[in-house]
Amino acid sequence: MKNFKYILMVALLLANLMFAPPSFADAPSFTKNPDYIALTKEINKLQTLKETHAAVEGFTTEEIDKKLNELEFQKYAFESGINWGQCRNETGKTLAVYGPEPNLDDDEYSLGASLYFLADGKTTKDKWDCKGVFLPSDIKAVALTPGGQNQDLTGGVVIKVPNGTNLVLKTNADTGAIEFNQAGIQVLKPGEVNWFIPNVSQAIVDARVTNAPTNKG
């Protein structure tokens, strides 16, 4: 009788392993990334607005479509395993950028960021997450809206770098304004993100020792 009970228990265990869903399997790591979660919510919100034909202030239907395509592209980058952004400095000045906090594990996500300084002509290292770019208080910049129009920016703000994006910053030789190669960039002001946003001029940034990890060459 004892042998029969033992055999029955083993048979039930094997059957459970064969037919039960793999509930113990871990979800992909990117689904825990706060940026991925926020990105998914924004996509769902825009899709709902589009489906219900709800008006969005400052956006046409075509601009909503462009924004959705852009966000879907960013989401694809996450799901393809690219969980980092990259920054290229062609401004002729030192660039203040935001990157991972020190002593943070490679697979650990954080809403925080630390300031680093990127030399002119340099690109941040592959797989090192350049999360954003700080614009000093006396810097003027020009960005493109999703509709392709120029958007004037004043300093004292942060330009967020989406994962899977190579953000290139250049100085316009005629106007002296910094220009971006991406349309529809996200601008963050003090209080909108838990990063340290200083109130300093470009001269202070230029005086810093450059320490952002960069690609060789």
Side-chain angles (χ1 to χ4, degrees):
M1 179 63 71
K2 289 183 178 180
N3 288 339
F4 174 75
K5 289 182 178 180
Y6 175 76
I7 293 172
L8 182 61
M9 289 176 62
V10 172
L12 289 173
L13 178 61
L14 290 174
N16 184 63
L17 290 174
M18 290 177 63
F19 298 107
S23 57
F24 51 82
D26 292 332
S29 59
F30 63 78
T31 60
K32 304 174 185 177
N33 188 317
D35 285 338
Y36 180 82
I37 295 171
L39 181 64
T40 302
K41 288 181 178 178
E42 183 67 16
I43 289 173
N44 292 338
K45 176 183 174 182
L46 287 177
Q47 286 177 336
T48 300
L49 290 172
K50 180 181 176 181
E51 291 168 1
T52 58
H53 304 287
V56 181
E57 185 177 355
F59 287 90
T60 65
T61 302
E62 292 76 14
E63 288 171 346
I64 292 177
D65 284 336
K66 288 181 180 179
K67 186 63 177 178
L68 270 172
N69 290 334
E70 177 190 338
L71 295 179
E72 289 285 2
F73 203 59
Q74 293 177 27
K75 185 180 179 184
Y76 174 77
F78 266 110
E79 294 169 351
S80 299
I82 305 176
N83 60 354
W84 48 278
Q86 193 166 50
C87 298
R88 170 74 181 172
N89 182 8
E90 297 181 8
T91 64
K93 307 175 180 67
T94 297
L95 204 61
V97 300
Y98 291 88
E101 299 155 280
N103 305 318
L104 198 68
D105 293 337
D106 292 339
D107 59 349
E108 186 178 352
Y109 297 114
S110 172
L111 290 174
S114 294
L115 265 177
Y116 299 82
F117 300 91
L118 180 65
D120 179 50
K122 296 294 184 179
T123 303
T124 54
K125 189 176 181 179
D126 292 352
K127 299 183 180 180
W128 186 85
D129 189 13
C130 183
K131 296 184 172 186
V133 176
F134 166 69
L135 292 182
S137 56
D138 58 344
I139 289 295
K140 293 183 179 180
V142 177
L144 290 176
T145 66
Q149 302 299 316
N150 284 338
Q151 174 186 7
D152 293 328
L153 303 175
T154 54
V157 296
V158 172
I159 305 303
K160 188 172 175 58
V161 181
N163 285 357
T165 297
N166 182 3
L167 184 67
V168 180
L169 296 94
K170 298 181 179 181
T171 299
N172 186 301
D174 296 325
T175 65
I178 291 180
E179 297 178 340
F180 306 88
N181 68 326
Q182 300 289 330
I185 59 172
Q186 183 179 2
V187 180
L188 302 173
K189 299 177 181 179
E192 294 180 344
V193 65
N194 64 339
W195 302 352
F196 171 59
I197 302 180
N199 183 18
V200 297
S201 66
Q202 180 62 46
I204 300 297
V205 174
D206 285 334
R208 301 291 299 184
V209 174
T210 55
N211 62 345
T214 60
N215 286 332
K216 295 181 180 180

